[in-house]
Amino acid sequence: MVRYLRRSPWAPPRYMGGLIHRPNGHLHKPPAPLIVGIPNGLFTLLILIGSGALEIDACRAVGKITLVLLVGIKNTKYVVYASIAIMYLSIVVSAALHYLPYISLVSLLLIPRTLRLAGPLLSGDENVVRGGRWRELRNLWLVPSVSG
């Protein structure tokens, strides 16, 4: 069965039932899926935080509790910094443990772009989020490598 799943060595790993199948035919058991899945989960968290920040007034009006309202807009920047740091650190750890190919470390070049896109959240100011920089925040829905 593994023979049919092989792909080029540059292909991303496949996630299967708590296992990771690497293109070279190796199967990794936990904690590999957890560590490799951290960037996806944290990037999704950033998108949800951005969505909550964009609609902060509407959430307040209807009583909806979002992470932004829970921790406060000023403290949201610490959650965002921690998420970005852990996201990219998990890529480094995954590559060091051979869960991901070393070429995945190229994604570290996107750190400045990710910080720029999350800039309105890092300001800690509701007016910045509501003001002219909301378009930057909406670009979080795009992958940092393709957004403009």
Side-chain angles (χ1 to χ4, degrees), residues 13 15 20 22 28 31-41 87 90-91 93-95 98-100:
Y15 305 96
I20 293 181
R22 287 281 309 276
H28 292 289
L34 176 65
I35 295 171
V36 173
I38 287 172
N40 293 336
M87 178 172 41
S90 67
I91 292 172
V93 169
S94 295
H98 304 288
Y99 297 155
L100 290 176

Side-chain angles (χ1 to χ4, degrees), residues 11-82:
R14 294 182 186 181
Y15 305 96
M16 308 181 306
L19 298 173
I20 293 181
H21 177 262
R22 287 281 309 276
N24 61 5
H26 296 291
L27 288 176
H28 292 289
K29 295 181 182 177
L34 176 65
I35 295 171
V36 173
I38 287 172
N40 293 336
L42 289 176
F43 198 74
T44 303
L45 175 68
L46 288 177
I47 291 171
L48 292 174
I49 290 173
S51 175
L54 284 173
E55 300 176 7
I56 195 166
D57 293 328
C59 292
R60 275 190 191 129
V62 298
K64 182 178 177 184
I65 298 175
T66 64
L67 187 59
V68 175
L69 287 174
L70 207 61
V71 299
I73 193 77
K74 292 184 181 187
N75 294 326
T76 299
K77 65 181 169 187
Y78 301 115
V79 175
V80 172
Y81 275 129

